[in-house]
Amino acid sequence: MNFVDDSVELREVQKLEGHTDRVWGLAWNPATGSAGIPAVLASCSGDKTVRIWQQNPSNGPFQCTAVLEETHTRTVRSCAWSPSGKLLATASFDATTAIWEHSGGDFECVSTLEGHENEVKSVSWNASGSLLATCGRDKSVWIWEVLPGNEFECVSVLQGHAQDVKMVQWHPTVDVLFSCSYDNTVKVWAEDGDSDDWHCVQTLGESNNGHSSTVWALSFNATGDKMVTSSDDLTIKIWGADIIRMQSGGIFAPLPAIMIEQFFQYIGQVFTSEYDREGVIASGAADDAVRLFVESEESKIDGPTYNLLTRKEKAHDMDINSVQWNSA
Amino acid sequence: MDSHQRSSIEDIFDSTLNLEETHFNDGYKEGFSDGLASGKEEGRQVGLKRGFETGEELGFYRGCIDVWSSAIRAEPACFSARVQKTINQMDELVRNYPISDPENESVSDVMDSLRLKFRAVCATLNVKLEYDGYPKAADAQF
């Protein structure tokens, strides 16, 4: 596959060092990076800590401004900022999810969510910040409601996946939850009215053009009508969803997620992929490379096509665990 | 030979010719009745074991529900509305569990639902209660 535009190139700006074990995940604080507020990034690691990095001044290098330690007793696998940027949730192999609040210059652990039987793999806030979802090796997905005073209440425990659930992600506009798993499927969960009754309303598996191996990650574009999933089967797939049908609800709003396109580009398992604001997809894989894809201007009769925008080989020395676009 | 002699010769040979079939039938009858007896006994043992397990787990939830309900009666504001609703749902599930109808297909769904609600309530109340009866996923180490 030829590059669409040979002049586009990925250039490493800075390498952030400090963690003493592999870095599993990253999250940009959504309330930073524009309007004069320096960008803030959180990274979580096998060294059981989370580091906060800030760009100081706004165009300068990133510096580590805080280390969140002595709370998790095992690897911190994933971290996510609340939409307001005030809270940071961290999911750990120690079976807990910690909620941190920024007060003054320090981060304080204000709540600990327990309930998973073993390693928590991922955590995600919904668009309004009123709900939090976690998932783990115990095959379950938990939904928590955020209450005043940093209280969290368990709304539902969802069973359905047959194996380890690798990631959960809320849809960017509708309160529908997506999860992906070692069982090769992506499941879609929605609430029945307002009753706390969450069900799996759709499963994207091999029979609907889904993946044939572990699905590691999923991500939505800004409007939520497209989703990208990345997998151990060496492909990423783009899915389309009918937002209008999703929003009009009813008891079950079946989301016709249809596989649009897939890429057989990878030599190593694809661990992560993410849409940016303009619809460029970045992906990272076990072959140590970062790739960018973009939807092409000429569309085929049966749907949109995608082109490889650029590829950065050996972006890291080992597997790439996470890619995150700065939304500013 | 006249017909009487012929049939008595046939009779003598009959029992020899049918030896295999006779023994087969005898063996079958013996096996069947032995199987019936031991199957019944095994069924009784399995039933006792499963019944005990189910009863013990239901009893555990009954106990928790009763304690929580007493707490709510004493102090209605101690648990949130959602927790109270879940406890009520658990109460209904336990009360309507088809104890006398083990072949009812919904029993595993009811039990699963009870287990999940129990975990949700414990997580919200921040209590570490665990029912030790059934094997957990974490116990399977590979």
Side-chain angles (χ1 to χ4, degrees):
Chain A
M1 195 187 256
N2 290 321
F3 296 130
V4 135
D5 182 347
D6 281 333
S7 65
V8 176
E9 160 197 352
L10 264 180
R11 193 175 44 91
E12 183 188 297
V13 170
Q14 193 184 351
K15 185 144 99 167
L16 304 177
E17 287 174 327
H19 280 296
T20 53
D21 197 324
R22 71 190 66 184
V23 182
W24 282 108
L26 309 159
W28 290 99
N29 185 324
T32 67
S34 57
I37 306 171
V40 171
L41 175 68
S43 61
C44 57
S45 163
D47 66 9
K48 309 174 200 162
T49 73
V50 173
R51 279 175 181 259
I52 311 292
W53 312 84
Q54 193 166 18
Q55 196 176 22
N56 244 333
S58 281
N59 281 327
F62 280 84
Q63 285 159 348
C64 181
T65 56
V67 180
L68 280 45
E69 55 194 342
E70 311 210 338
T71 296
H72 284 302
T73 52
R74 286 186 64 189
T75 294
V76 188
R77 181 65 173 80
S78 159
C79 56
W81 295 94
S82 65
S84 64
K86 295 205 179 79
L87 297 174
L88 177 69
T90 57
S92 167
F93 283 359
D94 66 8
T96 71
T97 305
I99 311 291
W100 305 80
E101 192 174 27
H102 198 173
S103 53
D106 279 325
F107 281 84
E108 192 194 330
C109 176
V110 295
S111 193
T112 306
L113 308 180
E114 298 186 23
H116 277 287
E117 284 172 18
N118 46 43
E119 293 86 343
V120 189
K121 300 287 175 102
S122 172
V123 62
S124 172
W125 299 83
N126 72 341
S128 61
S130 60
L131 296 172
L132 188 67
T134 58
C135 66
R137 184 165 71 82
D138 63 2
K139 311 174 199 163
S140 64
V141 172
W142 290 58
I143 300 182
W144 307 81
E145 188 180 0
V146 187
L147 300 170
N150 292 325
E151 290 286 313
F152 289 81
E153 207 165 62
C154 176
V155 172
S156 194
V157 179
L158 305 170
Q159 305 270 33
H161 277 295
Q163 300 282 359
D164 191 356
V165 190
K166 301 291 187 188
M167 183 172 188
V168 275
Q169 191 83 302
W170 288 96
H171 187 272
T173 57
V174 185
D175 275 345
V176 172
L177 182 65
F178 288 71
S179 60
C180 58
S181 160
Y182 185 73
D183 70 6
N184 310 350
T185 69
V186 173
K187 280 184 182 285
V188 185
W189 311 85
E191 191 177 12
D192 195 350
D194 215 4
S195 61
D196 283 358
D197 205 8
W198 290 78
H199 296 284
C200 175
V201 296
Q202 195 180 15
T203 300
L204 305 175
E206 280 186 78
S207 55
N208 9 38
N209 278 322
H211 287 288
S212 54
S213 189
T214 302
V215 187
W216 286 100
L218 62 100
S219 161
F220 293 94
N221 65 350
T223 46
D225 62 319
K226 292 219 183 63
M227 169 175 80
V228 61
T229 55
S230 37
S231 165
D232 241 21
D233 66 7
L234 312 183
T235 72
I236 65 171
K237 290 181 194 281
I238 319 275
W239 304 80
D242 188 338
I243 305 276
I244 317 288
R245 279 182 72 183
M246 255 197 273
Q247 281 166 336
S248 61
I251 299 177
F252 291 95
L255 308 166
I258 316 147
M259 205 267 298
I260 299 179
E261 177 95 22
Q262 63 182 25
F263 297 95
F264 292 93
Q265 273 269 312
Y266 299 89
I267 307 164
Q269 302 94 308
V270 194
F271 294 122
T272 174
S273 56
E274 171 99 349
Y275 266 104
D276 83 342
R277 252 182 344 168
E278 271 130 62
V280 177
I281 301 167
S283 69
D287 61 2
D288 313 345
V290 173
R291 290 172 176 79
L292 299 184
F293 293 92
V294 70
E295 190 169 333
S296 83
E297 266 121 39
E298 355 110 19
S299 35
K300 292 206 297 225
I301 303 167
D302 18 305
T305 56
Y306 290 80
N307 292 310
L308 181 58
L309 185 57
T310 183
R311 177 172 65 225
K312 178 85 180 176
E313 305 278 2
K314 288 283 155 213
H316 284 260
D317 299 325
M318 286 183 70
D319 298 357
I320 297 181
N321 289 322
S322 180
V323 285
Q324 295 282 325
W325 289 100
N326 183 333
S327 53
Chain B
M1 266 184 245
D2 63 28
S3 67
H4 176 73
Q5 283 174 302
R6 211 177 298 132
S7 67
S8 57
I9 291 171
E10 278 169 0
D11 281 339
I12 297 167
F13 284 121
D14 253 0
S15 59
T16 323
L17 289 170
N18 288 337
L19 209 56
E20 193 182 326
E21 193 181 330
T22 319
H23 280 176
F24 179 88
N25 288 335
D26 283 346
Y28 182 87
K29 273 185 227 141
E30 233 178 270
F32 190 92
S33 57
D34 275 357
L36 197 62
S38 70
K40 217 168 181 176
E41 183 51 35
E42 189 182 328
R44 205 178 77 91
Q45 295 296 335
V46 171
L48 274 174
K49 177 170 177 272
R50 289 291 305 137
F52 179 84
E53 285 170 359
T54 307
E56 192 189 55
E57 190 168 358
L58 283 177
F60 176 79
Y61 296 135
R62 176 86 267 146
C64 293
I65 295 163
D66 285 349
V67 167
W68 289 331
S69 304
S70 313
I72 294 169
R73 273 196 299 275
E75 172 75 52
C78 67
F79 297 152
S80 75
R82 171 180 282 130
V83 167
Q84 294 196 23
K85 186 173 97 160
T86 312
I87 293 172
N88 286 335
Q89 286 170 345
M90 282 182 74
D91 182 43
E92 257 203 61
L93 285 170
V94 172
R95 259 190 291 119
N96 295 332
Y97 189 94
I99 297 186
S100 310
D101 185 12
E103 306 218 343
N104 184 327
E105 275 161 15
S106 71
V107 291
S108 58
D109 289 338
V110 174
M111 200 50 102
D112 283 342
S113 188
L114 269 170
R115 289 174 184 157
L116 290 179
K117 288 187 197 300
F118 180 70
R119 286 175 74 189
V121 171
C122 288
T124 304
L125 298 182
N126 229 329
V127 289
K128 278 199 177 48
L129 285 173
E130 256 169 36
Y131 174 61
D132 283 332
Y134 63 96
K136 286 198 284 282
D139 290 341
Q141 304 280 358
F142 295 117

